[in-house]
Amino acid sequence: MTAMQQLPAFYLQHLRLQQVRKFAGLELADLRPGLNLFAGPNGAGKSSVVRAIRAAFLERHSSSSATDLRPEHDSSAAPSVALEFFLLGQSYRLEKSFLKKKRCDLTSGSRYWSAQEAEDHLAQLLGFGFPAKGSKPEHWGVPGLLWVEQGASPQDFKTSLGHAGQHLHAALHSQAASEQTSALAATAGDGLIGQLEQELGALIGKSGKPVGPLAQLLQALHDDQARLAALEVSIADYRSQVDALAQLVQAQAEDERLRPETAWQAELARAQAHRQQAQQLQQSYQQGQQQQEHLQRQMDWLTQTLQAQATQVQRLEQRKQAQAQARDDVEQARQHLAGCRQEAERLHQALEQARQQWQQAQEAQHRARQRSELEQRWQASQKQQQVLQENWQQAQVCLQKVKQIAHDLSAITIKKTDVSRLQQLERAVHIASAQYQAAATVVAFDLPAGAAVPWQSDGAAGSWQGQGQMALDAATVVQLPGGGQLTITPAGQEAAQARQRLAHAQGQLATALTQLGVVDGDAAQVLWERQAQGQQQLALAEQALQLHAPQGMELLHTQLQQVQAQTQAYAAQWEQIPAAVADSPAWAGAQSTAQAAEQAWQQGQQQLQQAQQTLALAEQQHHIAQREYTALAEQLQQAPAQQAQDQQQLVQLQTQAAALQQSLQAQARALQAPELQLAHQDIERLQKSLAAHAQQSQARKEKIAALRAHLDAVGASGLEETAALLAATVAQQERRAKAQQRRADALQLLVQRLKAARLAAVQRLQAPLARRLQHYVRLLQPGATLELDGQLAPAHIHADAGGVGTFMGAVELLSYGSQEQLGILSRLAYADVLREAGQPTLLMLDDVLVHSDAQRLAQMKRALFDAAQRHQVLLFTCRPQDWGDAGVPIRFLP
């Protein structure tokens, strides 16, 4: 049981069946005080359980009409039902068997009843009776009304209501405010009214038409009433426009609640992110192409270097051949040996110096390449730092804006319900004022200049001067010029009561305005609209903050700091690598200088060889060739290591080029993704959708403003004030007619008041039932009103507006499903009234609402769940899939 659920006065706790139809034995334990839901396919025995419960209470154990409880093909069976239940604060156990073993036992604590005494005791407590023989529906009373059998029709509902009417009327009379209410609602009230109507007919005549001056007065009254009716039509048109304005305002509020533009803006942000992603991919793809070109240039240079090293090896082979030739030229080289050796030494030093410069040029080229790569990384990091810095600054601005808007909204606490309540209070003051003007006696005066007529009324005093009029709601004494006084006493207490209602309405309006701190309802409306606009601006500012800092300000600030540190690290590394010196030898120039020095050295060697020819041409030539070969071999000793290093570097560059090529291909495929290719179109489509939605919303707002202006203008014309004045004139004419024919009018007034009193008495008598029935009807159809007939049955339903899912009109003309729904809601209301009168109730529904659509069924489940807070409800259904959301577990019959 929930915290709001009230313990029913009557509910079943345990049920056991034996030899009942298809059940050799069935036990249902732990029944809930509220809603109990039983399910099973057709033929599972749901109706058998319902029939057994009905037989246990509504049929005599000695009756022979319970043969339908006996299992088929078993004439010796003795169907029995055992029930444990809680009734009016006491626990009971009822055991009843039929046919072959007729027995009935009822126990409650130490008390015991048996046979007919037990059955009569339960009938008295539960509100039903037993016929002299058998079991008849007219004796079923309250259970016959609240226990609905499978396939019950609307006519069955009316019949069972008639059988339980005595109990319902007794419950309503027990709650009536006074004995006078019960007397007027009875038939004696009709007899008194009929007698007075006969006396009135004797005074007016058989034709029912007055004659003479009264007829003329009534004709004038008729004309004024026609004018008043025309004014009421205009007022109705004014109110219909007020309703149209309310619908527009409601549509605007619904649009602001759903806010479809929020989802569109989020989708727009995703499309913009896709476009930015495509731009970044395109930029990365172009940078990759540039890097690919740089790698290709490096690979070309290494290939050329390796080819040059292969050429040096060929030259070494040539020196080896020259050594053999030098053996024959040794003698020719000795003559100039000394000078040629000196020249050869000088050329050798120049060659070494040129080689050193060439090595320095190669190292400078390597440093320049490293410095260039670091500079590119530094620049990319600076660009990323700039983007994050801009996002950080924009995010700070958005965050400040969010805080400012939130601070401004915290000062506004008005709600839409407050605005609606102020408008209702203003309308109540307006209506009370018009009613006061209509009920009060209006005195018009036109006095000469300087003349004054003193008056006193209900503790107030004043004087009439000039021309004007005054509404009187109490006896007023007027001092006549020259002596004497005139007392004007308004008829009846309607004016004083209207004045009290007006003062009460004005007091309520003033209190509400003071509590909200506004001067009128329009000021409250403006303040509420300003709050709604502020909330919309707050949502936009939060979206902008989310766009610049999607993962939060702290993470954005951390990313910015990391990129700043990375940029500083690149800058420090770049500064550690020395820049190229202006006088450093160029790589190409150093190479050509080394080659020139080598050629000069070779020429010197040739001269040395020629100088040695006189000593021993062959020996000297051999010796020189051997030195050349040795020198070149020593020079090329480091070539294999350099060649391996260059070859390794070439392989690394080729690997990098292949990986870069795969990355470029992947980026090219990514650029072909539909969401990236169509990002521009998505952005254009969403921006146009947002603009169209904003235009529609603005058009609706303009229409609301125009309609409000029109209604203000019409309201300023004073339609209701004119109608009130005309109504006052009609009332004055009616009073004149009463003065001419007092007895007739007195009788007519008496008849009218007696009729009204009787109607009010009937309404007061039915008020508890009407309130409960209205409670359930509004769960089914909000805004609807259900009228009852004299038999307490639903007769006519009114709805504020028609549309899909609503019904209105005479109940008997509605669809079968609608009549069934209203019949169940009526039973729930009857159960509430009986419970308030202290009567025990139990609701049992067998396969109901099978003709209800999904929407109506959901609404009916709400009503049943609500009723189950006060009554036990046993509901049997063959469609468990429709009742999974009923709020209780479904119990399946075996």
Side-chain angles (χ1 to χ4, degrees):
M1 184 183 302
T2 65
M4 295 180 61
Q5 187 172 352
Q6 306 171 19
L7 193 65
F10 175 38
Y11 63 91
L12 303 183
Q13 297 171 309
H14 188 275
L15 167 68
R16 186 178 72 251
L17 305 182
Q18 290 184 337
Q19 294 183 332
V20 175
R21 293 186 178 177
K22 66 174 292 182
F23 297 114
L26 173 67
E27 185 170 5
L28 298 177
D30 300 326
L31 299 181
R32 302 159 56 94
L35 179 60
N36 295 266
L37 188 57
F38 303 92
N42 292 329
K46 302 184 298 298
S47 297
S48 298
V49 175
V50 174
R51 175 69 180 95
I53 296 174
R54 297 176 69 93
F57 288 100
L58 303 180
E59 292 195 16
R60 296 285 190 185
H61 70 284
S62 59
S63 174
S64 59
S65 61
T67 54
D68 61 318
L69 294 177
R70 185 166 50 200
E72 291 185 27
H73 312 298
D74 189 359
S75 59
S76 63
S80 65
V81 182
L83 291 169
E84 294 179 8
F85 55 92
F86 182 89
L87 177 60
L88 298 176
Q90 301 293 328
S91 295
Y92 286 82
R93 178 177 178 84
L94 172 65
E95 296 182 359
K96 182 179 284 191
S97 58
F98 302 89
L99 304 178
K100 292 296 182 180
K101 298 179 181 180
K102 299 180 180 181
R103 182 180 180 85
C104 178
D105 297 308
L106 177 65
T107 58
S108 176
S110 60
R111 303 185 65 186
Y112 171 79
W113 301 266
S114 64
Q116 185 172 341
E117 180 185 13
E119 294 169 338
D120 292 339
H121 182 70
L122 285 178
Q124 181 180 3
L125 293 177
L126 297 179
F128 66 93
F130 291 98
K133 184 178 181 180
S135 176
K136 298 181 180 180
E138 55 265 29
H139 294 274
W140 291 348
V142 174
L145 176 61
L146 301 184
W147 298 356
V148 183
E149 295 182 290
Q150 181 181 18
S153 66
Q155 183 58 41
D156 295 332
F157 163 67
K158 290 185 178 181
T159 302
S160 61
L161 177 59
H163 298 156
Q166 179 181 359
H167 299 279
L168 286 175
H169 282 90
L172 291 172
H173 279 282
S174 68
Q175 302 177 52
S178 65
E179 294 182 359
Q180 181 182 3
T181 298
S182 299
L184 285 173
T187 56
D190 289 335
L192 177 59
I193 293 173
Q195 181 181 355
L196 293 174
E197 285 179 337
Q198 289 178 358
E199 296 180 10
L200 178 62
L203 294 174
I204 295 178
K206 295 182 179 180
S207 63
K209 296 181 180 180
V211 295
L214 181 59
Q216 298 176 359
L217 180 59
L218 292 178
Q219 181 61 41
L221 177 62
H222 178 268
D223 296 339
D224 289 341
Q225 287 175 339
R227 291 174 53 203
L228 182 60
L231 284 175
E232 289 176 348
V233 170
S234 300
I235 293 172
D237 181 67
Y238 171 81
R239 291 174 179 171
S240 67
Q241 292 180 344
V242 172
D243 294 339
L245 174 61
Q247 292 177 357
L248 288 175
V249 172
Q250 182 180 2
Q252 183 69 20
E254 183 70 10
D255 187 66
E256 291 176 356
R257 182 182 68 81
L258 296 177
R259 299 184 62 82
E261 68 275 10
T262 301
W264 300 344
Q265 288 172 350
E267 188 177 356
L268 175 61
R270 290 193 295 272
Q272 290 174 340
H274 288 157
R275 180 177 65 181
Q276 183 178 4
Q277 181 182 0
Q279 292 174 349
Q280 291 176 350
L281 282 174
Q282 185 66 33
Q283 182 179 2
S284 176
Y285 183 79
Q286 293 175 355
Q287 291 177 354
Q289 288 181 328
Q290 294 176 359
Q291 185 178 0
Q292 188 180 37
E293 294 175 357
H294 177 70
L295 288 175
Q296 186 62 44
R297 288 195 296 270
Q298 287 182 320
M299 289 188 297
D300 293 342
W301 179 80
L302 286 174
T303 302
Q304 293 176 2
T305 301
L306 290 173
Q307 291 177 354
Q309 291 175 354
T311 302
Q312 289 287 67
V313 173
Q314 294 177 359
R315 292 180 62 186
L316 179 63
E317 183 65 25
Q318 293 175 358
R319 288 290 178 265
K320 185 177 180 180
Q321 296 176 0
Q323 183 180 7
Q325 182 65 31
R327 294 191 188 97
D328 300 334
D329 300 331
V330 174
E331 294 299 331
Q332 297 179 4
R334 286 185 178 178
Q335 295 180 0
H336 304 284
L337 181 58
C340 290
R341 285 179 179 175
Q342 185 177 2
E343 181 65 16
E345 183 66 22
R346 185 184 66 78
L347 292 175
H348 181 69
Q349 293 177 355
L351 176 61
E352 290 297 328
Q353 183 178 2
R355 287 176 178 174
Q356 291 179 0
Q357 292 179 351
W358 188 17
Q359 183 68 26
Q360 292 175 357
Q362 288 179 329
E363 292 176 354
Q365 185 183 27
H366 180 68
R367 288 194 301 272
R369 184 167 59 250
Q370 289 182 334
R371 187 179 176 90
S372 176
E373 293 176 354
L374 279 175
E375 184 175 8
Q376 291 178 359
R377 297 177 184 176
W378 184 17
Q379 292 175 352
S381 181
Q382 285 179 329
K383 291 181 181 178
Q384 186 178 3
Q385 177 181 345
Q386 182 179 2
V387 172
L388 291 175
Q389 185 69 33
E390 292 177 356
N391 286 341
W392 171 251
Q393 294 174 354
Q394 293 293 334
Q396 285 182 320
V397 173
C398 293
L399 179 60
Q400 185 64 29
K401 186 175 181 181
V402 168
K403 291 180 179 179
Q404 182 62 37
I405 295 174
H407 179 268
D408 295 341
L409 286 177
S410 64
I412 304 175
T413 59
I414 196 167
K415 301 179 181 178
K416 179 60 178 177
T417 55
D418 297 331
V419 178
S420 301
R421 182 170 178 267
L422 281 180
Q423 292 174 350
Q424 292 175 356
L425 290 175
E426 287 179 341
R427 286 196 296 270
V429 170
H430 190 72
I431 293 172
S433 178
Q435 290 176 347
Y436 173 70
Q437 293 294 331
T441 299
V442 179
V443 175
F445 53 87
D446 188 359
L447 302 175
V453 177
W455 59 267
Q456 292 181 349
S457 175
D458 196 14
S463 61
W464 294 335
Q465 296 178 359
Q467 184 180 5
Q469 63 180 13
M470 178 177 177
L472 304 181
D473 53 33
T476 303
V477 178
V478 181
Q479 300 297 331
L480 299 177
Q485 62 182 19
L486 175 66
T487 301
I488 302 175
T489 303
Q493 299 296 324
E494 290 84 354
Q497 294 174 356
R499 181 183 61 182
Q500 293 176 357
R501 290 194 297 270
L502 175 59
H504 178 69
Q506 290 174 339
Q508 285 186 328
L509 176 60
T511 301
L513 291 175
T514 302
Q515 290 175 350
L516 295 177
V518 295
V519 295
D520 54 21
D522 291 338
Q525 177 71 22
V526 171
L527 192 60
W528 179 80
E529 291 178 352
R530 186 186 306 164
Q531 182 185 26
Q533 292 175 358
Q535 290 174 348
Q536 184 177 10
Q537 293 175 358
L538 178 61
L540 293 176
E542 289 176 344
Q543 291 177 4
L545 177 60
Q546 180 68 17
L547 179 63
H548 293 293
Q551 297 178 340
M553 293 291 292
E554 294 182 0
L555 183 57
L556 178 61
H557 188 257
T558 301
Q559 292 176 347
L560 177 60
Q561 290 178 337
Q562 292 176 350
V563 173
Q564 287 176 342
Q566 187 179 25
T567 303
Q568 293 175 358
Y570 285 151
Q573 293 177 8
W574 183 81
E575 290 177 354
Q576 290 177 359
I577 299 176
V581 183
D583 56 353
S584 298
W587 179 83
Q591 184 181 21
S592 60
T593 301
Q595 292 176 352
E598 186 175 3
Q599 292 177 358
W601 180 73
Q602 290 176 356
Q603 292 177 0
Q605 292 298 321
Q606 292 176 2
Q607 291 178 1
L608 181 60
Q609 291 174 3
Q610 292 176 1
Q612 292 175 342
Q613 287 179 0
T614 56
L615 296 176
L617 181 60
E619 182 180 356
Q620 290 179 1
Q621 185 66 30
H622 176 266
H623 181 67
I624 294 172
Q626 187 175 7
R627 286 179 58 191
E628 291 176 349
Y629 176 79
T630 302
L632 187 56
E634 292 176 354
Q635 180 182 357
L636 293 178
Q637 281 180 357
Q638 299 178 354
Q642 182 65 33
Q643 184 177 8
Q645 181 179 359
D646 293 342
Q647 186 66 38
Q648 183 179 2
Q649 185 176 2
L650 178 61
V651 171
Q652 292 176 353
L653 292 176
Q654 289 174 345
T655 303
Q656 294 178 5
L660 182 59
Q661 180 65 25
Q662 293 179 356
S663 177
L664 289 174
Q665 292 175 354
Q667 292 176 357
R669 289 192 299 270
L671 286 171
Q672 298 299 319
E675 62 271 12
L676 299 184
Q677 285 189 335
L678 300 178
H680 290 282
Q681 295 182 3
D682 291 340
I683 292 173
E684 180 182 1
R685 172 177 58 83
L686 292 170
Q687 287 176 343
K688 289 182 177 179
S689 298
L690 287 170
H693 180 267
Q695 184 178 3
Q696 291 176 353
S697 179
Q698 182 63 28
R700 188 189 298 114
K701 291 179 180 178
E702 292 174 356
K703 188 173 181 180
I704 290 173
L707 193 54
R708 281 177 176 165
H710 173 70
L711 291 176
D712 291 341
V714 174
S717 64
L719 287 177
E720 294 183 348
E721 291 81 0
T722 303
L725 292 175
L726 186 56
T729 301
V730 171
Q732 186 176 8
Q733 290 174 344
E734 289 176 346
R735 288 193 295 271
R736 290 176 57 194
K738 292 176 184 178
Q740 295 181 20
Q741 197 174 5
R742 290 179 180 177
R743 178 167 177 75
D745 290 347
L747 288 174
Q748 186 176 10
L749 178 61
L750 182 57
V751 170
Q752 290 176 350
R753 290 188 176 181
L754 284 176
K755 287 184 176 180
R758 184 183 185 282
L759 178 60
V762 173
Q763 291 177 346
R764 285 194 298 270
L765 185 64
Q766 294 182 352
L769 177 58
R771 285 195 301 270
R772 298 311 305 162
L773 187 57
Q774 194 62 27
H775 166 74
Y776 291 113
V777 168
R778 287 180 177 174
L779 291 178
L780 181 64
Q781 183 170 314
T785 303
L786 188 62
E787 293 181 356
L788 299 174
D789 60 15
Q791 303 300 321
L792 304 180
H796 199 280
I797 187 168
H798 303 273
D800 292 339
V804 178
T806 64
F807 49 68
M808 57 191 301
V811 172
E812 62 183 3
L813 299 180
L814 300 178
S815 66
Y816 185 94
S818 299
Q819 292 189 56
E820 181 188 32
Q821 295 155 15
L822 292 177
I824 292 177
L825 295 182
S826 300
R827 290 180 172 93
L828 301 182
Y830 300 150
D832 287 347
V833 170
L834 291 168
R835 184 184 184 279
E836 291 174 0
Q839 297 295 322
T841 58
L842 168 66
L843 290 155
M844 188 161 53
L845 310 175
D846 184 11
D847 260 347
V848 296
L849 301 175
V850 295
H851 301 283
S852 300
D853 55 35
Q855 178 182 359
R856 289 279 182 78
L857 183 59
Q859 295 164 335
M860 290 297 297
K861 282 184 278 189
R862 295 175 60 193
L864 287 171
F865 187 85
D866 178 75
Q869 309 304 307
R870 296 171 296 278
H871 313 278
Q872 185 180 49
V873 180
L874 305 180
L875 192 147
F876 300 81
T877 180
C878 62
R879 299 178 60 84
Q881 66 275 15
D882 293 340
W883 293 89
D885 59 344
V888 297
I890 300 177
R891 302 176 64 172
F892 292 87
L893 294 181

